[in-house]
């Protein structure tokens, strides 16, 4: 029996876990929970964006373990070990978006300036077409003006004009091509370059891989055809929560609850989901609206797909209200990329471990810490020296500023575990190579070991109790200032 096939050890404790999103940075989680599963049973699990994928896979493994399958976490690790080879093909674009998708991957934050030239060359077809059109137009103008190319000096005279015409033609053609893609084609594709689902016979897209992996982990290689649902998980005492963003209402949704009763159009979802999910939803018509099932009957895959709809990369998922209005769901990280406190109680019965994918800004440090151990790095400013770094920092501040402030309060830093990644690790680098992918997964393995070695739940629970008591005392005394987020008595715990 190989190492990946051996029975999983029986856990002796319980915990809740929360995972931050981060596109390809989510590879960090590939080994983390196989390590933690040696000691812990996972009761409540939450994630946003890439963290939602990890949450679904861990939930499936815990479900199988509760059903008596002692090799589920080994299957989880085995599936994740194959990710480095599969990742570059996870986002397959339609033909008219392929060049744009390649360029997006090249110039996305974290991939480096050196790839800008490569990104431009992704559009070689419209550039070449425009240049040829410009040359043809200038040649016709020269002929109309009577310039004879039989004269030996004529090509030298016409050369600057021809070159300028080629540049203008290439630029104009590229601008027209990009404008049409962004202003006309992209809205028709729900603002995503990739569907995430391959209806053909090629390699699996990301949605197909998630479906196949969740099913194999939860039910074994020859398991059932019906997708894993939130009700299946609840029957084994597993509380899974997936964060998604309702763009049409500009608000966060915690799935499986959608905030209101909703419907879907089978023709729209057929483009985005594998057939097994549509069969489970059992639409009454292929064209008319059909009701979405109650939360417990909602497939886990549906919630995850809503949460990972990264704007511009993966198509948003359309849902229809009972009034007939169409709303779209996008990446959960837009509204809450790290819901570390989603399961918090004043005095917890079990620990909640939150896993943060932090950015390392220079220097040589340990790659895995608790937040309390890494506070010195958190206080270091980001060097904002370019428009790109300014805009990226602005987005991070708007999206995560409140969360980052709350993370520092009370005993939170002791139960938030961080994997520190450099700017060129993970992110949108979908073609990072095997070695870098292995590095990310090794950080995740160290992350799990760090939890097992460093966390003291008895001390953490006592600190939470002290913090809760002090808050109550201050509130009763009428001294609670809702803006005083860094009160000395809590920050000193």
């Amino acid at each position: 029996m190989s190492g990946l096939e051996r029975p999983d050890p029986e856990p002796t404790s319980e915990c809740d876990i929360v995972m931050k999103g981060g596109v390809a940075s989510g590879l960090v989680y590939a080994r983390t929970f196989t390590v933690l599963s040696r000691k812990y049973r996972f009761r409540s699990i939450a994630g946003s964006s890439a963290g939602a994928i990890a949450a679904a896979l861990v939930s499936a493994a815990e479900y199988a373990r509760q059903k008596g399958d002692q090799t589920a976490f080994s299957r989880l690790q085995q599936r994740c070990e194959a990710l480095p080879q599969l990742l570059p093909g996870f986002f397959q674009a339609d033909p008219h978006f392929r060049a744009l998708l390649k360029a997006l991957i090249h110039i996305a934050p974290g991939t480096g300036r050196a790839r800008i030239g490569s990104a431009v060359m992704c559009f070689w077809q419209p550039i070449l077409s425009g240049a040829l059109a410009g040359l043809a137009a200038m040649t016709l103008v020269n002929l109309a003006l009577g310039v004879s190319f039989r004269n030996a000096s004529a090509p030298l005279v016409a050369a600057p004009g021809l070159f300028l015409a080629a540049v203008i033609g290439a630029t104009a053609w590229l601008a027209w091509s990009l404008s049409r893609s962004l202003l006309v084609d992209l809205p028709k594709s729900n603002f995503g370059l990739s569907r995430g689902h391959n209806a053909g016979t090629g390699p699996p897209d990301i949605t197909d891989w998630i479906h196949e992996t969740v099913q194999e982990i939860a039910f074994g290689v020859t398991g059932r055809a019906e997708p894993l649902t939130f009700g299946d998980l609840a029957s084994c005492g597993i509380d899974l929560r997936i964060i998604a963003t309702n763009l049409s209402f500009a608000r966060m949704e915690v799935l499986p609850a959608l905030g209101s009763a909703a419907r879907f159009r089978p023709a729209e979802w057929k483009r985005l989901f594998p057939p097994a999910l549509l069969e489970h939803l059992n639409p009454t018509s292929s064209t008319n609206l059909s009701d979405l099932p109650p939360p417990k009957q909602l497939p886990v895959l549906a919630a995850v797909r809503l949460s990972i709809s990264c704007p511009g990369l993966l198509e948003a998922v359309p849902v229809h209200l009972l009034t007939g209005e169409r709303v779209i769901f996008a990446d959960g990280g837009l509204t809450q990329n790290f819901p570390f406190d989603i399961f918090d109680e004043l005095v917890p019965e079990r620990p909640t471990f939150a896993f943060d994918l932090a950015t390392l800004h220079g220097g040589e440090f340990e790659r895995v810490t608790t937040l309390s151990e890494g506070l010195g790095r958190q206080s270091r400013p980001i060097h904002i020296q370019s428009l790109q770094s300014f805009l990226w920092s602005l987005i991070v501040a708007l999206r995560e500023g409140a969360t980052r402030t709350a993370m520092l309060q009370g005993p939170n830093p002791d139960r938030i575990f961080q994997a520190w990644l450099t700017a060129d690790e993970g992110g949108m680098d979908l073609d990072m190579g095997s070695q870098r992918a292995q590095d990310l997964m090794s950080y995740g393995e160290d992350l799990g070991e760090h939890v097992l070695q460093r966390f003291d739940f008895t001390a953490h629970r006592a600190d939470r109790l002290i913090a809760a008591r002090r808050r109550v005392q201050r509130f009763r005394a009428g001294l609670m200032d809702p803006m005083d987020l860094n009160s000395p008595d809590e920050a000193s715990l």
Side-chain angles (χ1 to χ4, degrees):
M1 182 176 290
S2 69
L4 290 176
E5 294 174 341
R6 65 176 181 268
D8 302 322
E10 190 69 27
T12 57
S13 304
E14 295 181 339
C15 73
D16 303 334
I17 54 175
V18 181
M19 283 79 78
K20 185 179 183 180
V23 196
S25 302
L27 276 175
V28 167
Y29 302 131
R31 299 173 184 167
T32 304
F33 303 106
T34 304
V35 173
L36 288 180
S37 68
R38 301 199 302 257
K39 179 178 179 179
Y40 291 103
R41 175 194 172 194
F42 305 111
R43 288 287 304 274
S44 298
I45 305 167
S48 180
S49 191
I53 300 176
L57 302 188
V58 175
S59 298
E62 189 60 63
Y63 169 81
R65 180 161 68 176
Q66 295 305 309
K67 288 291 187 179
D69 186 340
Q70 297 303 309
T71 61
F73 281 93
S74 296
R75 287 199 302 276
L76 185 156
Q77 182 176 340
Q78 191 172 22
R79 292 286 299 191
C80 290
E81 291 292 337
L83 276 172
Q85 291 74 39
L86 298 173
L87 191 60
F90 268 179
F91 300 94
Q92 300 173 36
D94 289 336
H96 54 288
F97 283 145
R98 285 174 186 165
L100 195 56
L101 179 58
K102 289 180 181 178
L104 175 66
I105 293 172
H106 278 296
I107 64 174
T111 57
R113 297 180 181 178
R115 296 192 179 183
I116 294 178
S118 299
V120 173
M121 291 310 300
C122 292
F123 301 103
W124 68 269
Q125 287 181 313
I127 290 174
L128 179 60
S129 298
L132 292 176
L135 288 172
M138 193 60 181
T139 300
L140 291 176
V141 170
N142 286 331
L143 292 175
L145 294 176
V147 177
S148 175
F149 287 90
R150 294 179 181 178
N151 188 330
S153 62
L156 297 176
V157 175
L162 291 172
F163 175 76
L164 181 62
V167 171
I168 293 175
T171 304
W173 200 296
L174 178 59
W176 177 84
S177 177
L178 288 175
S179 298
R180 179 174 178 81
S181 294
L182 295 174
L183 301 178
V184 179
D185 297 330
L186 196 62
K188 292 179 180 178
S189 298
N190 294 315
F191 305 96
L193 302 179
S194 174
R195 302 178 188 180
H197 166 55
N198 184 359
T201 57
D205 271 22
I206 186 168
T207 309
D208 306 309
W209 182 86
I210 295 170
H211 172 64
E212 294 169 3
T213 302
V214 166
Q215 293 300 106
E216 182 176 322
I217 294 172
F219 306 112
V221 179
T222 59
R224 78 180 197 190
E226 283 200 5
L228 182 71
T229 66
F230 284 87
D232 291 328
L233 300 177
S235 69
C236 291
I238 303 168
D239 178 14
L240 174 63
R241 303 184 195 180
I242 301 296
I243 306 300
T245 298
N246 186 327
L247 276 182
S248 300
F249 283 99
R251 71 188 184 201
M252 179 184 76
E253 302 284 7
V254 182
L255 306 176
L258 285 171
S260 61
R263 296 173 175 170
F264 72 102
R265 192 178 300 279
E268 293 176 330
W269 279 37
K270 184 178 180 180
R271 300 178 66 256
L272 307 177
F273 292 99
L277 184 134
L278 272 297
E279 292 173 7
H280 171 81
L281 296 179
N282 191 26
T284 55
S285 168
S286 60
T287 56
N288 296 329
L289 295 176
S290 295
D291 292 336
L292 281 170
K296 284 190 176 183
Q297 296 177 24
L298 186 71
V300 171
L301 176 66
V304 174
R305 178 60 181 81
L306 267 63
S307 180
I308 65 173
S309 303
C310 181
L313 178 61
L314 205 57
E315 288 191 23
V317 180
V319 172
H320 298 261
L321 305 180
L322 296 184
T323 58
E325 294 175 292
R326 185 178 186 266
V327 300
I328 59 174
F329 280 77
D331 197 289
L334 296 174
T335 47
Q336 180 52 278
N337 202 36
F338 190 33
F340 73 94
D341 56 355
I342 192 170
F343 300 121
D344 277 8
E345 299 176 351
L346 286 178
V347 184
E349 297 179 358
R350 55 184 178 268
T352 297
F353 301 125
F355 297 94
D356 182 23
L357 303 174
T359 302
L360 189 62
H361 298 288
E364 294 295 330
F365 299 100
E366 292 293 327
R367 288 307 193 104
V368 170
T369 68
T370 62
L371 178 57
S372 56
E373 294 167 340
L375 282 177
R377 303 179 204 176
Q378 292 285 73
S379 62
R380 294 190 177 192
I382 300 173
H383 297 292
I384 303 174
Q385 299 176 331
S386 65
L387 180 60
Q388 181 184 11
S389 62
F390 171 75
L391 293 176
W392 184 247
S393 299
L394 184 64
I395 292 171
V396 172
L398 290 171
R399 189 177 69 172
E400 300 184 6
T403 299
R404 292 188 178 200
T405 302
M407 286 164 57
L408 299 174
Q409 306 312 305
N412 285 331
D414 294 330
R415 52 85 177 232
I416 295 176
F417 291 82
Q418 297 178 299
W420 291 87
L421 311 180
T422 61
D424 58 352
E425 289 179 320
M428 284 290 293
D429 192 1
L430 303 176
D431 194 12
M432 66 182 70
S434 178
Q435 184 56 53
R436 181 161 289 176
Q438 290 296 328
D439 289 343
L440 293 181
M441 292 192 287
S442 70
Y443 303 154
E445 188 172 3
D446 293 343
L447 201 60
E449 295 290 352
H450 206 69
V451 175
L452 297 180
Q453 295 170 9
R454 301 294 181 91
F455 186 77
D456 183 346
F457 180 55
T458 302
H460 176 76
R461 194 168 187 268
D463 288 345
R464 292 288 292 271
L465 180 60
I466 293 170
R469 185 175 63 189
R470 287 178 176 173
R471 280 183 175 273
V472 171
Q473 288 174 344
R474 293 179 66 209
F475 180 78
R476 292 182 64 183
L479 299 177
M480 176 66 80
D481 181 354
M483 298 304 294
D484 183 14
L485 298 177
N486 279 306
S487 56
D489 55 346
E490 291 178 17
S492 63
L493 289 177

